[in-house]
């Protein structure tokens, strides 16, 4: 009597979609789909980072002077907030793999609160720039004078003063608002995804009894954090 391998039936895979043959195929589809999406996001942000590099190489004095008007403490706090949220998201993914539903809900809630804190701090930063008329457009203004706390040398300030009266400083703030604004939109999307997962978990929906939805949300959130890790030094930590 020959031994025959017993293949698991679909009833043994409660979270297997109808279109998949097994869990491995389903997990691969989740992963490939998310990485394809993130690849398009990388190309999208990559174009903006390339623009930043180009204009900064053309106008280094202007970029160095303009970044003094950004709040380094607020940018640093926001970096710490996002890194902490990345840690709590990792804990949520781990709890999802262990099928600890309430723990997943807790860490997703904490992560979303940290994301909201990031947006609030960013809102304060933007409102300050609006008051200073740094929003690009007809009302844009840019003072030649060194802002409080800046450490521009006298010689450097002299070079900057010769350039700033033009429209070139607007390029810095166009890139600043475009790149941080686009990043903020991704943060908002992440918050909505987390709230959706929390709602489904609270209802004990079969859709989230499987860990992959939470893991994919975590992958997206880590991407959002990584983008900020690049934005922070480019705008806030230009050598003074």
């Amino acid at each position: 009597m020959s031994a025959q391998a017993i293949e698991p039936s679909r009833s043994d895979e409660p979270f297997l979609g109808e279109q998949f043959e097994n869990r491995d195929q389903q997990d691969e589809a989740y992963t490939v789909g998310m990485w394809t999406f993130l690849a398009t996001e990388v190309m999208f942000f990559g174009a903006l980072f390339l623009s930043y590099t180009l204009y900064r190489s053309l106008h280094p004095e202007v970029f160095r002077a303009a970044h003094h008007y950004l709040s380094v403490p607020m940018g640093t706090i926001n970096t710490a907030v996002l890194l902490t949220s990345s840690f709590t998201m990792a804990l949520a993914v781990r709890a999802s793999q262990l099928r600890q539903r309430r723990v997943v809900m807790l860490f997703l809630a904490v992560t979303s609160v940290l994301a909201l804190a990031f947006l609030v701090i960013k809102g304060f930063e933007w409102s300050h720039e609006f008051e200073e008329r740094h929003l690009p457009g007809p009302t844009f203004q840019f003072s030649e004078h060194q802002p409080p706390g800046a450490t521009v040398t006298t010689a450097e300030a002299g070079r900057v003063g010769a350039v700033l009266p033009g429209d070139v400083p607007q390029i810095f703030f166009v890139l600043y608002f475009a790149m941080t604004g686009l990043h903020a939109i991704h943060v908002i999307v992440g918050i909505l995804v987390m709230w959706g997962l929390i709602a489904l978990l609270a209802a004990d929906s079969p859709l989230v009894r499987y860990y992959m939805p939470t893991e994919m949300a975590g992958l997206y959130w880590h991407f959002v954090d990584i983008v900020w890790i690049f934005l922070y030094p480019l705008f806030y930590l230009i050598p003074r």
Side-chain angles (χ1 to χ4, degrees):
M1 181 176 178
S2 61
Q4 294 183 344
I6 300 176
E7 295 185 359
S9 64
R10 297 189 70 84
S11 59
D12 296 329
E13 303 278 2
F15 309 119
L16 182 63
E18 291 293 332
Q19 68 274 34
F20 301 110
E21 294 181 357
N22 51 54
R23 280 278 297 277
D24 290 339
Q25 187 184 57
Q26 180 172 283
D27 290 353
E28 185 177 358
Y30 267 114
T31 305
V32 171
M34 176 54 75
W35 277 109
T36 302
F37 167 72
L38 293 181
T40 62
E41 292 288 292
V42 168
M43 289 188 286
F44 191 50
F45 275 101
L48 291 172
F49 280 115
L50 181 61
S51 299
Y52 175 95
T53 303
L54 175 63
Y55 283 110
R56 182 175 169 178
S57 65
L58 293 174
H59 310 289
E61 293 87 357
V62 176
F63 273 57
R64 192 178 302 119
H67 97 285
H68 287 300
Y69 289 87
L70 303 182
S71 173
V72 175
M74 284 190 175
T76 304
I77 292 172
N78 257 350
T79 302
V81 167
L82 270 192
L83 289 177
T84 305
S85 73
S86 196
F87 176 68
T88 56
M89 175 57 88
L91 293 177
V93 173
R94 177 60 177 165
S96 178
Q97 292 170 344
L98 297 175
R99 298 188 180 182
Q100 299 173 333
R101 184 168 62 94
R102 292 184 181 278
V103 178
V104 178
M105 294 170 60
L106 172 64
F107 282 121
L108 286 177
V110 172
T111 304
S112 66
V113 169
L114 291 170
L116 286 172
F118 174 89
L119 291 177
V120 170
I121 295 172
K122 180 53 66 182
F124 280 118
E125 276 194 80
W126 283 341
S127 64
H128 175 72
E129 300 303 332
F130 295 159
E131 292 173 0
E132 295 292 326
R133 297 190 176 185
H134 290 159
L135 181 66
T139 61
F140 179 82
Q141 289 186 2
F142 193 88
S143 172
E144 300 178 27
H145 301 294
Q146 184 174 324
T151 56
V152 179
T153 63
T154 303
E156 185 178 72
R159 293 198 305 272
V160 169
V163 176
L164 294 185
D167 293 332
V168 177
Q170 289 199 64
I171 296 174
F172 175 87
F173 286 100
V174 165
L175 291 169
Y176 169 73
F177 282 110
M179 297 174 78
T180 59
L182 184 61
H183 177 265
I185 291 173
H186 282 71
V187 172
I188 293 171
V189 171
I191 292 172
L192 295 177
V193 169
M194 285 184 269
W195 286 353
L197 287 174
I198 292 172
L200 291 171
L201 287 164
D204 198 19
S205 169
L207 297 173
V208 290
R209 290 174 188 165
Y210 182 42
Y211 68 91
M212 283 302 281
T214 304
E215 185 163 315
M216 293 300 101
L219 192 58
Y220 171 83
W221 192 248
H222 294 320
F223 169 77
V224 172
D225 288 352
I226 290 172
V227 171
W228 179 257
I229 293 301
F230 282 95
L231 291 177
Y232 172 61
L234 287 180
F235 284 105
Y236 295 88
L237 302 182
I238 296 176
R240 293 168 180 251

